[in-house]
Amino acid sequence: MLRFVVAALVSACIATAGLADSLDDVRKRGELVWGGDKEGGGPYIFPDPQNPERVIGFEIDVMSAVCERLGVRSRFEQQNWTQLPDHLRAGRADAIVNGFELTKPKLRDFHATLPYYIYELQLIGRSDDATTSSWDDLRKPGSKKKIGVLGGSAAEDYSKSELGDNAEIVSYDSTTQALEDVVNGKLSATVTDTPAAAFYLPRYAKLHAVGPGVGRGYYSILLRGGSEHSRLRNAINDALLDMIRTGALRDIYRKHGIWNRTQLVFAVKEPGDASTFALYLLREQQEPTQLEGDAKNEESDATAKEEPRGWRAVWLSAPVLLKAAGRTVILSLLSMPLAMLFGLLVALGRLYGHFIIKRVLTLYVEVVRGTPLLLQLFVIFFILPAVGIKFDAGTAAVIGLAINYSAYEAEIYRAGLLAVPIGQMEAALALGMTRRQALWRVVVPQAVRLVMPPVTNDFIALFKDTAVCSAITVVELTKQYNISANSSGAYLQMALVTGLLYLVMSYPLAVLTKRLERNVPHVHV
Amino acid sequence: MITINNLEKRHGSLSVLNGVSLTVKQGDVAALIGPSGGGKSTLLRCINGLESFHAGEIVVDGIHLSSKPDGEALRQLRQRVGMVFQQFHLFPHMSALENVMAGPLIVLNWPREKAEPAALQLLDRVGLKDKRDIRPDKLSGGQQQRVAIARALAVQPQAVLFDEPTSALDPRMANEVLAVISDLARQKLTMIVVTHAMGFARQVASAVYVMAEGRVAESGPPQQIFETPKLEVTRRFLLQASAT
């Protein structure tokens, strides 16, 4: 893959600066926004176990050092790993940095900087399992061992092409879950990138590295494609080269315990300019003798202080969990009243509007009900910015939830309005009310009371559906549970506390709606 | 006050009103009687625009209602002509007082300080002042209908239409309601009453119209209709009515 970087670099040197140059933009804002995922992200990006409100990791340090050299602040933004490329494409971040290996498809869409780390894939098995002591053991025909890998990762591609039908490759969402399953015997082995192996192996006494690292690849910072972003890419490359020259990059990796012989290419005193260094990397890749051998990590500077586990981890995570719970409540309380209002208007339009309005609203209801909330959120968050409509994540989440639920509420209200006897409308008209007055003062108040029970039901459903909003970077309670549980390993305790939080929150909502239900009939004329 | 000329209405091929004409003068009480399906209720509902008609004309207090009325004419008309329904149709989410105030507050835009005493006076007139804060579902049928009458009177109509006001009530409650209507007749309120209560019609009406098959079969002062009916249809109907 390095070949493509070199090609891209050479062409970029010729390319002139574009129109709205993103380097100028970043400098003007005084900060570089970059996306990553802290869920199960050790040692890359993860919550500090001692203080879960802080985010740490070697990529945080690399980006701080890069931004320091650009003269701007570094701002990390949380986003689900699989959505990070969409996030970048929609212009919601200047860069994404989270163990993205250089691949040909990525280079077609994005600018990639020089590699900032060289990873290999590490096979990890149980120390007491003699039947899994090398890749060859897995290749044996008919052995059919189960191997867990991170879905969509280089480890998955490599394992599939190396082992083919001889092993069963199981896709996981998080490294730690795969490791847990090796410990408890559900898996024979897992394959992770070397930084993750270096980070997690000391935490699992029963596991060990099986054989040397394989399938070398390069982590690179990704930026949007296009000539207007090439100056930013060049500036980041210069910053990285400076970090190589001064040894700052090595210091970061030593601090995190991931400096090893493979990284020795970053130890050169005179890396030259970007293309010189890229050509040098390419040469090293083609003549790897110098770097061959066991890629053992050096002893980490920050060797394991005792990490909080179990209930202590839950206690330390309490502030972030509570904050996320608050976000869940705010999302529900903002979006449900909007959904109820939209829904009522749509129902009134469908029942009493002009026939064109009826058609349009029927289409609206069918489209909104017939497509998933997740897709609607993606459209609002990632697609609308392309036509110049840009909301922040919280606003997009509220709008998405309100629109999605408005379709369901509209159907409920429609049934409610139809259930009000026709005589009510006639009695109101007979008094001399206009149709509009009759609807709003007589029919709607009765319909609202009729539909309270199903609407309450939907309120609680929406409350739980807020979890989907994590896909557009809103860290609500479920997402925070995933982050906290994966980084601490205290799955059971975190799940209990999270479940309890949901209950504690939904119960008052239920009581509140019940009270509303009683109060609705007291409509004063 | 109310003039109806040659009113025609069809449901598909079925003729519901077949050239109805009648005139009700200021202070008169017209009773519409006759067999079910004769078009009495339909005629009443046409008069305040709850149903449309195909041909003919309705004139109420100088307002012409054509077969294609505009919304404003309808509203003008409905403010002049109140309506009381067989099934009361009180607004269930409002108290008795709020039901009576609904018209003045919403339609006439009266301030509350004016609407409330007026509404209380009307509740008093129908004998239900003490029920002011009670919801309709806690009132008896007779009480509900009396509130409905007060509600219709609250917008100060020139005339009130009654669509079988006592048919959903047992005899004791029916009498409460008929007493209120008789009282209104004594005060010279113009009314058209569709009713099956023959004794009431005879006692209160200034004119009785017998409707059958979509037209006025026979009309005249109550004495004439009840004592010397001309037509066979009237005789048969009166015989059946007295038998039940």
Side-chain angles (χ1 to χ4, degrees), chain A residues 347-354 358 417-418 425 435 439 443:
Chain A
L348 286 170
R350 280 192 72 184
L351 284 175
Y352 306 107
H354 188 267
K358 284 182 185 172
L417 288 165
L418 287 172
M425 169 63 96
R435 227 177 146 68
L439 274 178
V443 178

Side-chain angles (χ1 to χ4, degrees), chain B residues 24-103:
Chain B
V24 182
K25 289 202 283 294
Q26 178 105 38
D28 273 3
V29 177
L32 298 187
I33 63 170
S36 298
K40 308 183 297 291
S41 289
T42 307
L43 175 63
L44 213 60
R45 291 165 59 80
C46 284
I47 297 175
N48 78 342
L50 288 180
E51 287 196 27
S52 60
F53 48 90
H54 295 99
E57 186 190 35
I58 297 173
V59 186
V60 178
D61 198 18
I63 296 172
H64 289 254
L65 193 62
S66 66
S67 57
K68 289 207 165 53
D70 62 283
E72 188 50 34
L74 269 178
R75 248 165 49 74
Q76 294 271 338
L77 177 97
R78 285 169 177 157
Q79 282 181 37
R80 285 169 172 74
V81 186
M83 180 116 177
V84 173
F85 301 87
Q86 182 180 349
Q87 300 293 343
F88 333 130
H89 297 327
L90 288 182
F91 306 136
H93 57 301
M94 302 180 190
S95 69
L97 181 68
E98 285 167 342
N99 263 282
V100 180
M101 287 195 299

Side-chain angles (χ1 to χ4, degrees), chain A residues 456-471:
Chain A
T456 309
N457 220 28
D458 273 4
F459 197 170
I460 291 165
L462 175 139
F463 179 68
K464 289 178 291 183
D465 260 0
T466 51
V468 178
C469 298
S470 66

